């Protein structure tokens, strides 16, 4: 497994948590836009996320252009859980156990 | 400006960075996000948050990343594949560029490797910058490099100076080592106690020699080199404390030096030199030791020089008889070791640099031609949307590929060439040349050179070729133009002229060296070298203490060697010509009259102690009088033979036969000063090399002055080398403890004597040859291309009635004009540059007209030959085909 960077894990986690649009991911992760967008580009290039455009109809109803949204692919889901587990294992031993227990 | 508009402005400004195919989506995504942020703010009746402006800046990072990501992928795959395919499609072009580059880079790396070893790499001693040599010099040339010191002067230098932490002396020689295997003559040095303190090198085993060891009466000790220790004693760790028989004395081994310690160069053992009180009293005029010293950390070289001049001036006042004209010079050790070759090394580096410059020019013109040839492809790609950056990147990658290939092949050439250079014997006169290695410095230098050469000279013309502004004109031009762009034509012409100029400079250098070398070879050395084998024999002072014992030993040896059926004749001499053997002693009296100090100094003679058949064996003519006879021995009247130069110097035009001459020494044998009545005049022998006039020489009969060593010369009826084994057996029978060493044929000695100029000539000539070839290739390439470009024009000319001869002449004239310009500038430049060669030239002026004319004419002929093929092709163009030509 190729280990994902903390940034990538944060972005994937945000998307998995339902924050699918660029600025929403930025708001959610607190990372700067100059970090989040290249991270999204890398994740998409590596096939961990997929992007699509929201329906023009919905957007126009809102009086704005359609936004691009991102969602996890199957490899993305797997990579996120593996990487998250790895980073969690680095935390002080007590916490996860209590959480599990 | 509202926040939204500002954000949009940033996006539009950055958008061109984003790869073309995703640019629209990128803009759309970012605009949508800002619009959404604005809409949400409007819904809440708030202004757009300030964070939006910083988010817009993030778009710059995003765009840059997308561009980089795309380049990365494209560069690795697309461009490399594309470039490789393009290069393989033009194997002639690719091979020419790669080979050209490899020659330039390989040559540069190899020569730089040698320069690095000889001049640049720090000497392998602690703080090598503090190490100096001190020379006793003459007031006329107080700063010369070279000049041995006498023991009393050394002691005074050491005591009176204020600039050095320590001063030490050494004398190089070779000493017989017996026991533990066959008798062997080991090169080594006798050193004073401070030697290893000055060199500041610790032993690998045991201890070094110290001040306690060089006192008269101290135990006899020896320190071995790492090489001798491993070769002869198998790296025996118990070596320290063992007794060895060296130079007839039993000496205790006290230490072994590390492998990196080599000083004096080639020394394999070090023993203390002991000066007793009498030596220090009587030897002030005996100059035979070399002095080294270590500067105090705070002392400057200039201060040390003044200090030593002061010491020398005091000695001159105190001992006017020996030191009246003397001064002292201080030179960095590196300078002392390699000062004599510094200039020629840099000339070589300059020459090989010129070759590289020609290589670069050649590549520039080849790439230019190719880029122009690809003009249509590039133009079409530009027309369908490839930016200039993309096109340029393609050319850049192509250049880098060529550079890498050329650099790799060049490194292979350099590896081979440095091996060849390192195999050279430093005795050709370039110290430390055998240390030449392809080390990291050399490889880094090569990489730098190859990348710089390829990128600069490959892309400069490419930048011009990918200029988008003339896309339209380019497409049109390719379709229907009749002549090529004059601006580019000028650039190509300039490159050709530059190349010719550089080639002329190198060829003139090679021509001068070649003519100088031919004159060197034509010099009459005064002796014959064919079929003569030589070797040296030294008798130990303890076993052969009496002169008569030595005389008897060599008499027997000569007789036994002469009895060998393969031997035509055999003789002996204390020092052979061309071996840098110098044994000069001043004349003390002529025809019974004692000379004044000035006269004595002015009349220093080279002393040679020879056996009767030496002259016959060496083929040295005796135009007047006779050679020595077997009866000229101890007890008989002392006789001498002078060479023609000495005869003229001493007796002017008077016939010297019967006159008498004495030198100022007893040759360490007691009795009266050496000399005698002149019985013969020998032809001059160039003792110090073909380029140095014969010194005035005095031959003494060995049997009258039997010293402890002789070099035997034996003339073979067949091959010189066929004598080595029989003679070795003869010597072993006579005394197994006497080693035979310095085994060389006279032809080897002659060859060694001209090795340095030959090497120099060989290198410069190969550079010049390469340069000429490259210039010819360049000229051919440019003309062939120009003819190809002008096919249509020439076709029209022919169709309108131009004669084929006129077309031929037209193309040849174009080539001729470029070549003549290049040759003219080149000859002028050569007249300036060849001054650097002056010290290397023998009986040839740097402005030798013959050389310049030959080079000029020769290069013009080469240029005409190179342009003949394209010119002929031009004259054979079929007008109909040409007019249909695309």
């Amino acid at each position: 497994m190729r280990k994902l960077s903390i940034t990538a894990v944060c972005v994937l986690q945000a998307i998995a948590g339902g924050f699918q649009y660029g600025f929403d991911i930025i708001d959610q992760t607190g990372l700067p836009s100059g970090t989040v967008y290249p991270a999204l580009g890398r994740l998409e290039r590596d096939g961990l996320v997929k992007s699509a455009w929201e329906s023009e109809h919905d957007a126009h109803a809102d009086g704005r252009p359609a936004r691009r949204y991102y969602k996890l692919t199957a490899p993305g889901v797997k990579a996120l859980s593996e990487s998250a587990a790895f980073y969690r294992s680095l935390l002080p031993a007590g916490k996860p156990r209590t959480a599990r227990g | 400006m509202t926040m939204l508009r500002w954000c949009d402005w940033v996006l539009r400004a950055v958008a061109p960075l984003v790869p073309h195919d995703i640019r629209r989506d990128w803009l759309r995504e970012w605009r949508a996000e800002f619009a959404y942020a604005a809409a949400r703010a409007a819904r809440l009746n708030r202004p757009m948050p300030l964070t939006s402006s910083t988010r817009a800046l993030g778009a710059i990072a995003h765009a840059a990343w997308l561009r980089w990501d795309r380049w990365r992928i494209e560069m690795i795959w697309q461009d490399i594949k594309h470039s490789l395919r393009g290069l393989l499609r033009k194997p002639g072009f690719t091979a020419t560029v790669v080979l050209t580059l490899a020659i330039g880079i390989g040559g540069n790396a190899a020569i730089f490797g040698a320069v690095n070893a000889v001049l640049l790499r720090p000497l392998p001693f602690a703080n090598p910058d503090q190490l100096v040599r001190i020379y006793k010099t003459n007031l006329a040339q107080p700063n010369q490099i070279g000049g041995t010191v006498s023991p009393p002067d050394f002691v005074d230098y050491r005591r009176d100076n204020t600039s050095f932490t320590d001063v030490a002396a050494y004398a190089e020689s070779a000493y017989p080592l017996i026991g533990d295997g066959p008798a062997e003559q080991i090169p080594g040095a006798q050193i004073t106690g401070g030697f290893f303190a000055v060199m500041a090198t610790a032993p690998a085993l045991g201890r070094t020699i110290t001040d306690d060891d060089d006192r008269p009466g101290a135990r006899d000790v020896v320190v071995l080199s790492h090489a001798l220790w491993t070769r002869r004693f198998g790296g025996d760790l118990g070596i320290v404390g063992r007794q060895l028989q060296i130079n007839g004395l039993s000496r205790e081994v006290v230490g072994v030096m590390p492998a990196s310690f080599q000083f004096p160069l080639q020394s394999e053992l070090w023993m203390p030199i002991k000066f007793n009180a009498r030596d220090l009293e009587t030897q002030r005029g005996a100059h035979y030791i070399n002095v080294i010293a270590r500067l105090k950390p705070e002392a400057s070289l200039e201060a040390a020089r003044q200090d030593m001049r002061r010491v020398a001036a005091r000695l001159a006042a105190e001992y006017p008889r020996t030191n009246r004209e003397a001064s002292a010079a201080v030179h960095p050790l590196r300078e002392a070791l390699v000062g004599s070759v510094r200039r020629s090394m840099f000339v070589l580096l300059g020459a090989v640099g010129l070759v590289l410059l020609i290589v670069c020019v050649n590549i520039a013109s080849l790439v230019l031609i190719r880029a122009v040839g690809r003009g249509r492809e590039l133009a079409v790609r530009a027309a369908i949307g490839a930016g200039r950056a993309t096109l340029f990147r393609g050319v850049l990658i192509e250049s880098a590929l060529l550079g890498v290939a050329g650099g790799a092949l060049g490194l292979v050439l350099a590896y081979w060439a440095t091996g060849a250079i390192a195999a050279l014997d430093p005795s050709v006169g370039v110290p430390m040349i055998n240390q030449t290695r392809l080390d990291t410095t050399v490889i880094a230098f090569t990489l730098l050179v190859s990348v710089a050469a390829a990128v600069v000279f490959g892309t400069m013309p490419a930048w011009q070729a990918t200029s988008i502004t003339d896309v339209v004109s380019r497409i049109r031009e390719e379709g229907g133009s009749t002549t090529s762009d004059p601006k580019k034509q000028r650039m190509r012409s300039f490159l050709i002229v530059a190349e010719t100029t550089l080639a002329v400079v190198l060829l003139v250098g090679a021509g001068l060296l070649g003519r100088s070398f031919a004159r060197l070879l034509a010099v009459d050395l005064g002796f014959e070298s064919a079929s003569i084998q030589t070797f040296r024999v030294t008798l130990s002072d303890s076993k052969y203490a009496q002169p008569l014992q030595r005389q008897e030993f060599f008499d027997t040896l000569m007789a036994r060697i002469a009895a060998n059926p393969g031997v035509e004749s055999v003789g002996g001499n204390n020092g052979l010509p061309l071996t840098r053997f110098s044994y000069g002693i001043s004349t003390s009296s002529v025809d019974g009259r004692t000379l004044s100090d000035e006269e004595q100094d002015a009349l220093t003679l080279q002393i040679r102690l020879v056996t009767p058949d030496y002259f016959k064996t060496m083929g040295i003519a005796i135009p007047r009088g006779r050679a020595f006879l077997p009866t000229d021995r101890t007890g008989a009247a002392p006789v001498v033979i002078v060479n023609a130069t000495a005869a003229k110097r001493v007796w002017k035009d008077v016939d010297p036969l019967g006159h008498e001459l004495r030198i100022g020494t007893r040759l360490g044998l007691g009795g009266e000063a050496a000399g005698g009545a002149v019985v013969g005049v020998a032809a001059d022998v160039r003792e110090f090399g073909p380029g140095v006039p014969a010194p005035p020489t005095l031959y003494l009969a060995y049997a009258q002055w039997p010293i402890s060593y002789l070099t035997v010369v034996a003339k073979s009826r067949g091959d010189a080398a066929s004598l080595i084994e029989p003679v070795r057996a003869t010597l072993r029978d006579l005394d197994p403890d006497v080693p035979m060493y310095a085994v060389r044929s006279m032809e080897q000695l002659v060859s060694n004597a001209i090795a340095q100029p030959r090497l120099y000539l060989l290198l410069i000539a190969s550079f010049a040859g390469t340069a000429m070839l490259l210039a010819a290739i360049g000229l051919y390439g440019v003309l062939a291309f120009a003819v190809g470009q002008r096919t249509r024009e020439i076709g029209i000319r022919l169709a309108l009635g131009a004669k084929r001869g006129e077309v031929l002449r037209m193309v040849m004239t174009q080539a001729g004009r470029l070549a003549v310009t290049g040759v003219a500038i080149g000859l002028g430049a050569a007249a300036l540059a060849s001054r650097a060669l002056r010290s290397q030239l023998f009986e040839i002026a740097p402005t030798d007209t013959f050389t310049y004319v030959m080079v000029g004419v020769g290069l013009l002929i080469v240029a005409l030959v190179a342009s003949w093929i394209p010119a002929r092709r031009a004259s054979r163009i079929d007008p109909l085909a040409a007019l249909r030509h695309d």
Side-chain angles (χ1 to χ4, degrees):
Chain A
M1 172 197 99
R2 199 168 66 84
K3 191 154 59 62
L4 292 173
S5 69
I6 291 269
T7 306
V9 170
C10 290
V11 170
L12 284 179
Q13 187 70 52
I15 297 172
F19 301 91
Q20 292 182 307
Y21 298 95
F23 278 21
D24 294 349
I25 298 169
I26 290 167
D27 289 335
Q28 174 63 19
T29 58
L31 293 167
S33 60
T35 303
V36 168
Y37 274 100
L40 281 170
R42 219 173 284 125
L43 289 168
E44 185 166 20
R45 186 190 69 202
D46 296 345
L48 302 185
V49 303
K50 225 163 60 185
S51 71
W53 295 95
E54 70 172 322
S55 93
E56 297 270 352
H57 187 264
D58 293 357
H60 285 171
D62 213 8
R64 56 176 178 84
R67 300 165 76 193
R68 176 182 263 184
Y69 66 90
Y70 297 85
K71 57 185 182 197
L72 296 192
T73 61
V77 173
K78 186 163 168 273
L80 173 62
S81 73
E82 283 171 355
S83 292
F86 169 76
Y87 284 115
R88 211 173 287 126
S89 74
L90 298 178
L91 293 172
K95 261 195 170 169
R97 212 165 290 150
T98 343
R100 219 182 287 141
Chain B
M1 192 194 281
T2 65
M3 181 72 78
L4 193 59
R5 277 179 63 191
W6 188 82
C7 292
D8 202 56
W9 181 84
V10 172
L11 292 179
R12 269 186 289 127
V14 182
L17 252 185
V18 178
H20 192 259
D21 55 326
I22 53 170
R23 196 175 294 157
R24 273 189 59 200
D25 278 358
W26 178 84
L27 258 177
R28 190 175 161 207
E29 177 177 10
W30 276 91
R31 279 185 171 149
E33 291 299 327
F34 284 126
Y36 172 76
R40 195 170 55 174
R43 238 197 330 266
L44 298 171
N45 229 346
R46 280 196 213 141
M48 218 173 138
L50 263 176
T51 49
S52 299
S53 63
T54 49
R55 277 180 195 179
L57 296 180
I60 302 174
H62 189 201
W65 180 82
L66 287 170
R67 164 54 65 191
W68 159 242
D69 197 48
R70 176 62 58 89
W71 266 32
R72 205 168 56 89
I73 297 168
E74 284 183 358
M75 266 181 174
I76 291 170
W77 298 116
Q78 236 83 348
D79 279 331
I80 290 184
K81 257 193 256 169
H82 186 81
S83 297
L84 271 179
R85 221 179 291 133
L87 290 174
L88 292 179
R89 221 182 292 132
K90 296 263 181 195
F93 165 82
T94 308
T96 311
V97 172
V98 168
L99 270 177
T100 313
L101 204 53
I103 289 170
I105 289 167
N108 267 274
I111 297 294
F112 178 76
V115 170
N116 188 35
V118 176
L119 299 178
L120 304 178
R121 204 185 293 146
L123 296 174
F125 312 117
N127 297 321
D129 295 343
Q130 294 173 351
L131 288 172
V132 295
R133 282 284 309 263
I134 303 176
Y135 298 109
K136 182 168 182 178
T137 56
N138 195 288
L139 275 180
Q141 287 172 294
N143 282 322
Q144 74 170 13
I145 291 185
T148 43
V149 177
S150 67
D153 281 346
F154 157 69
V155 171
D156 290 337
Y157 288 176
R158 191 178 190 198
R159 188 191 56 221
D160 295 348
N161 82 81
T162 57
S163 310
F164 306 111
T165 54
D166 205 349
V167 180
Y170 63 92
E172 285 174 87
S173 187
Y175 312 94
L177 169 64
I178 55 179
D180 296 298
E184 198 181 350
Q185 198 78 12
I186 312 282
Q190 287 191 294
I191 58 173
T192 62
F195 180 85
F196 286 105
V198 169
M199 300 313 292
T201 307
L205 217 61
R207 66 172 178 91
T208 57
I209 288 164
T210 66
D211 278 335
D212 292 333
D213 296 309
D214 73 0
R215 305 220 167 95
R219 259 182 328 138
D220 291 309
V221 297
V222 62
V223 167
L224 307 183
S225 77
H226 193 272
L228 177 62
W229 176 55
T230 46
R231 173 165 56 81
R232 180 140 182 150
F233 302 100
D236 176 12
L237 288 169
I239 188 82
V240 173
R242 263 177 61 188
Q243 297 286 329
L244 299 180
Q245 287 289 321
I246 299 171
N247 210 17
L249 280 179
S250 179
R251 294 173 180 274
E252 183 188 333
V253 178
V254 293
V256 175
M257 294 308 289
S260 60
F261 186 78
Q262 291 177 11
F263 188 85
L265 300 172
Q266 277 134 40
S267 276
E268 296 207 283
L269 53 82
W270 296 269
M271 305 180 294
I273 190 169
K274 296 171 183 173
F275 303 124
N276 58 35
R278 194 169 158 270
D279 290 342
L280 296 182
E281 211 170 281
T282 59
Q283 288 193 347
R284 196 166 292 273
H287 305 126
Y288 64 93
I289 56 175
N290 304 295
V291 177
I292 49 168
R294 183 175 284 278
L295 284 172
K296 286 178 182 166
E298 71 276 10
S300 75
L301 188 62
E302 200 34 56
R305 283 181 171 153
Q306 281 179 12
D307 186 26
M308 285 312 298
R309 277 200 286 270
R310 174 186 60 78
V311 173
R314 187 186 68 72
L315 293 176
E318 202 166 327
Y319 308 101
R321 208 184 73 75
T322 48
N323 290 41
R324 189 168 17 98
E325 299 284 308
S327 183
V330 180
H331 291 284
L333 183 60
R334 151 95 64 189
E335 195 73 28
L337 282 174
V338 299
S340 57
V341 296
R342 176 186 300 271
R343 196 187 175 94
S344 32
M345 291 298 278
F346 279 119
V347 168
L348 277 182
L349 196 60
V352 80
L354 281 188
V355 172
L356 186 68
L357 210 56
I358 296 179
V359 163
C360 292
V361 171
N362 220 351
I363 288 173
S365 67
L366 285 170
V367 171
L368 184 66
I369 289 170
R370 177 165 158 76
V372 173
R374 281 172 72 189
R376 185 163 192 167
E377 176 210 331
L378 295 176
V380 169
R381 282 176 65 190
I384 59 175
R388 186 178 190 179
T390 313
L391 293 182
F392 181 65
R393 200 184 64 226
V395 185
L396 185 87
I397 284 175
E398 192 177 290
S399 299
L401 280 178
L402 290 172
V404 167
L409 192 59
L411 219 50
V412 173
L413 281 182
Y415 179 78
W416 173 81
T418 43
I421 292 175
L424 289 173
D425 187 343
S427 69
V428 300
V430 189
M432 300 191 289
I433 186 95
N434 55 346
Q435 311 275 317
T436 303
R437 284 194 311 267
L438 204 59
D439 59 12
T440 43
T441 318
V442 178
I443 291 173
F445 173 83
T446 311
L447 279 179
L448 195 77
V449 166
S450 57
V451 169
V455 169
V456 173
F457 288 89
T459 54
M460 240 170 33
W463 182 253
Q464 192 193 352
T466 56
S467 149
I468 303 254
T469 47
D470 53 70
V471 167
V472 181
S473 69
R474 183 83 57 73
I475 294 177
R476 204 186 300 134
E477 169 194 313
E478 296 286 323
S481 153
T482 48
T483 50
S484 52
D485 178 357
K487 208 166 91 191
K488 275 180 206 113
Q489 189 64 42
R490 261 206 305 282
M491 169 87 166
R492 288 192 294 270
S493 303
F494 167 76
L495 291 176
I496 287 304
V497 170
E499 217 169 11
T500 316
T501 302
L502 296 172
V504 166
V505 172
L506 282 173
L507 282 169
V508 165
L512 290 172
L513 287 171
R515 302 239 306 144
S516 154
F517 191 69
R519 299 213 168 175
L520 216 49
L521 285 184
V523 166
D524 177 15
L525 294 167
F527 61 86
E528 285 158 19
S529 56
S531 302
I532 296 180
Q533 185 61 46
T534 83
F535 62 94
R536 202 168 163 119
V537 173
T538 300
L539 303 175
S540 79
D541 291 337
S542 51
K543 190 168 175 186
Y544 294 90
Q546 297 305 315
L548 273 175
Q549 286 177 296
R550 300 180 212 146
Q551 188 187 325
E552 197 185 306
F553 176 90
F554 279 112
D555 273 352
T556 317
L557 180 65
M558 295 290 162
R560 288 203 191 168
I561 292 174
N564 186 314
V567 174
E568 195 177 306
S569 99
V570 59
N573 181 349
N574 62 329
L576 284 181
L578 312 184
T579 54
R580 283 183 213 144
F581 176 84
S582 174
Y583 188 42
I585 296 180
S586 54
T587 314
S588 66
S589 76
V590 173
D591 294 327
R593 183 177 72 85
T594 304
L595 303 181
S596 70
D597 284 357
E598 284 86 358
E599 284 174 315
Q600 288 198 10
D601 289 348
L603 204 59
T604 296
L605 302 178
Q606 282 295 320
I607 308 302
R608 297 292 181 269
L609 301 153
V610 302
T611 65
D613 282 343
Y614 174 73
F615 296 101
K616 187 175 120 197
T617 310
M618 292 286 285
I620 300 171
I622 309 264
R624 289 208 38 76
R626 62 168 174 89
F628 293 125
L629 299 172
T631 49
D632 294 327
R633 51 200 312 123
T634 332
V639 289
V640 304
I641 292 172
V642 291
N643 74 350
T645 302
K648 199 160 178 58
R649 189 77 65 80
V650 180
W651 290 282
K652 309 291 182 291
D653 297 328
V654 180
D655 183 354
L657 289 189
H659 286 264
E660 206 222 61
L661 180 144
R662 296 205 170 269
I663 54 173
T665 177
R666 297 173 177 82
L667 293 176
L669 297 172
E672 57 185 332
V678 177
V679 293
V681 179
D684 280 343
V685 170
R686 299 229 167 189
E687 296 280 343
F688 304 131
V692 186
T697 308
L698 179 73
Y699 294 98
L700 299 171
Y702 174 77
Q704 294 184 326
W705 310 97
I707 53 165
S708 63
Y709 58 91
L710 267 189
T711 302
V712 178
V713 291
K715 189 169 175 74
S716 167
R717 292 185 199 281
D719 185 24
S722 68
L723 294 185
I724 299 176
E725 283 321 309
V727 168
R728 196 190 297 276
T730 306
L731 185 63
R732 205 182 302 122
D733 284 348
L734 199 55
D735 185 341
D737 286 344
V738 173
M740 170 177 171
Y741 67 101
V743 181
R744 290 170 294 196
S745 74
M746 208 59 221
E747 277 173 336
Q748 271 173 306
L749 290 176
V750 172
S751 162
N752 278 355
I754 51 169
Q756 199 185 347
R758 188 177 46 212
L759 174 68
Y760 204 61
L761 169 64
L762 199 72
L763 288 172
I764 297 272
S766 60
F767 299 156
T770 311
M772 191 172 76
L773 190 68
L774 292 179
I777 291 174
L779 187 64
Y780 168 80
V782 166
L783 282 179
F785 174 75
V787 167
Q789 288 268 295
R790 292 169 70 184
T791 303
R792 195 183 168 93
E793 174 210 330
I794 293 170
I796 293 172
R797 281 173 189 266
L798 288 169
L800 291 178
K803 298 217 165 52
R804 298 200 179 269
E806 284 168 4
V807 170
L808 190 74
R809 206 175 315 125
M810 179 182 76
V811 177
M812 296 288 276
T813 310
Q814 184 197 0
R817 207 175 291 142
L818 295 179
V820 167
T821 313
V823 166
I825 301 174
L827 289 178
L832 294 175
S834 59
R835 280 190 223 163
L837 284 178
R838 190 185 291 275
S839 66
Q840 301 289 330
L841 296 179
F842 175 67
E843 291 181 356
I844 283 279
T847 50
D848 178 55
T849 320
F850 178 78
T851 308
Y852 283 68
V853 170
M854 287 307 286
V855 167
V857 171
L859 204 64
L860 284 179
I861 291 174
V862 169
L864 288 184
V865 171
S867 53
W868 169 253
I869 304 165
R872 212 171 125 75
R873 195 184 301 152
S875 71
R876 293 199 163 176
I877 286 171
D878 173 4
L880 283 178
L883 290 172
R884 276 198 304 270
H885 178 79
D886 180 18

